[in-house]
Amino acid sequence: MSSAVPTGQADPQWVRGGWGHTVRSQDEALRAVMRIVGVAPGRQYVWRGCVSSRRPVRSSLLQSLVVEESEPLPDETLVRGQELALLRSARAWGPGAGPHPQASDLELLAHLQRHGVPTRLVEVTRNPLTALWFACARGDDESGVLVALDVTDLPVHPTVDPQPHAGHEGRGWALRRALRRSAVLGQPFLVQPTDPDRRTAAQEGLYLTGVVPRTEPVRGLDGLPLRPGTPPGKQKLADLFAEGRRRAGRPGRLPFCALVVPADLKRTIRTHLTAVGRQRAVLFPDVDGFRDAVRDDDVDLHPTPPVLSPFDDALADEPAP
């Protein structure tokens, strides 16, 4: 996740916009998650956590093309051109840049995204507790946000096409077709890793993406063709998440919602989430995760074990036991 926080026009102002609610305790945060999934039985949600509530849901590729936050967002033509250039360059770079030489554009994009290359894919998870951990992972001097998105009716595309098309054009066909349908239907789509790596599996991760819409985006959901309708408003969300039995006046549907987590609540929530296995070592179970944790001074190396200096270790001259 990027540490830069967009300012000005990019600030979603979730609560003021009518789609957000500020939680005041860890109990309220967990209750709100359960209330969201219980608004309408059978609905499916994906979740995204961000350490700054001032940062919109925005793909890394779209973010990389933003020059000034006060200007209109880059359009689909610009995003697609940059995407195709990245895919072409990644294939030309060598076999180590992709999962395998015959990888489709969709599979290659997922691979590049996982390694920090800007793509149109937005990382989400099916596990709200994982996303809540990301919302509280750091930045204890600013509020975080947990975003829930109803994806019940969205198409799901695997990274590996079960019916691949041959040839150079065939590698790009699944992504090209998915983007065309996104443009025609005016909705995003999900990308499900076919053979997830350890980190993706631990995070129960997948991707949300789609064409950059021609219409004005919902504030805070940048570059995604989502049309959630009229926001429920501050009071209805407060009624929905209130303690005790659900009150009258709660929203009948909730296409998306943003739960803002105050800065002074993050550490408490992190501590509680450890009890259910949501912690850094579990969510980043690979060498890159360990490297980053060491770099962030998030690995407990104290006390160091007793050391016998090699200058004094005469027993090492003896044959191995």
Side-chain angles (χ1 to χ4, degrees), residues 62-111:
L62 188 67
Q63 179 62 49
S64 72
L65 295 172
V66 172
V67 178
E68 293 288 344
E69 289 292 349
S70 59
E71 297 294 324
L73 289 172
D75 63 15
E76 174 60 29
T77 300
L78 183 58
V79 170
R80 182 61 172 155
Q82 187 76 357
E83 179 175 72
L84 290 172
L86 282 169
L87 289 168
R88 179 193 62 203
S89 298
R91 294 190 189 281
W93 191 262
H100 56 86
Q102 299 306 314
S104 69
D105 283 2
L106 203 52
E107 185 179 7
L108 182 53
L109 277 186
H111 181 79

Side-chain angles (χ1 to χ4, degrees), residues 177-195:
R177 179 178 52 193
L179 289 173
R180 172 57 180 169
R181 290 179 178 176
S182 176
V184 171
L185 298 176
Q187 65 179 16
F189 57 92
L190 294 167
V191 177
Q192 179 70 56
T194 303
D195 186 20

Side-chain angles (χ1 to χ4, degrees), residues 5 65 77 79 92 96 136 167 177 197 234 245 309:
V5 179
L65 295 172
T77 300
V79 170
C136 302
R177 179 178 52 193
D197 58 20
K234 183 177 180 179
R245 298 187 65 179
S309 170

Side-chain angles (χ1 to χ4, degrees), residues 74 76 91 101 138 141 158 202 218 292 295:
E76 174 60 29
R91 294 190 189 281
R138 53 187 174 83
D141 57 345
V218 177
D292 293 342
R295 182 182 298 165

Side-chain angles (χ1 to χ4, degrees), residues 124-141:
V124 293
T125 175
R126 295 193 185 277
N127 189 326
L129 298 185
T130 296
L132 182 58
W133 182 90
F134 276 104
C136 302
R138 53 187 174 83
D140 289 357
D141 57 345

